[in-house]
Amino acid sequence: MAYFEWADDMVIDNGPIDEDHRKLVDLVNELHTATSQGRGQEVVDKLLTQLIADTEEHLREEERVMEQAKFTNLERHKQGHTHFVNKLHE
């Protein structure tokens, strides 16, 4: 059973942003499945490293798209991204 289910109300653009989000959801679910099956130690380092790298790349791209769209609270949103990434590294 998946830990995190993708839902229609999560759709942003039906394009690259959603593709990234789905990939991140898949990685979280893969990690959950492995730990649920007692294989967590086998995969945790690789999956967490990939999850963090993909998240950082996605957030950079998201910020670029938001900047192009003249998103009104971009600096505050970027601060949230920075805080989130820092927590991932912890």
Side-chain angles (χ1 to χ4, degrees):
M1 174 187 262
Y3 176 77
F4 194 75
E5 294 286 340
W6 183 261
D8 289 342
D9 65 345
M10 301 164 108
V11 172
I12 303 273
D13 69 347
N14 282 312
I17 299 286
D18 288 332
E19 288 176 29
D20 284 353
H21 287 168
R22 286 178 184 261
K23 183 177 179 184
L24 295 170
V25 166
D26 288 345
L27 284 170
V28 168
N29 286 334
E30 187 177 343
L31 179 60
H32 174 72
T33 298
T35 57
S36 296
Q37 296 173 347
R39 299 181 303 108
Q41 289 191 6
E42 295 172 28
V43 300
V44 70
D45 185 51
K46 179 185 135 215
L47 285 178
L48 285 178
T49 298
Q50 187 66 50
L51 182 61
I52 291 169
D54 288 354
T55 299
E56 290 174 327
E57 180 181 332
H58 168 73
L59 294 177
R60 281 190 301 272
E61 178 62 14
E62 182 178 284
E63 289 170 2
R64 187 189 67 73
V65 169
M66 292 171 90
E67 189 169 358
Q68 287 178 338
K70 307 283 190 242
F71 186 77
T72 54
N73 292 314
L74 182 57
E75 287 309 311
R76 188 167 140 208
H77 200 84
K78 283 181 176 181
Q79 289 173 356
H81 285 172
T82 299
H83 177 74
F84 181 69
V85 168
N86 288 342
K87 286 295 190 183
L88 284 176
H89 284 282
E90 285 178 18

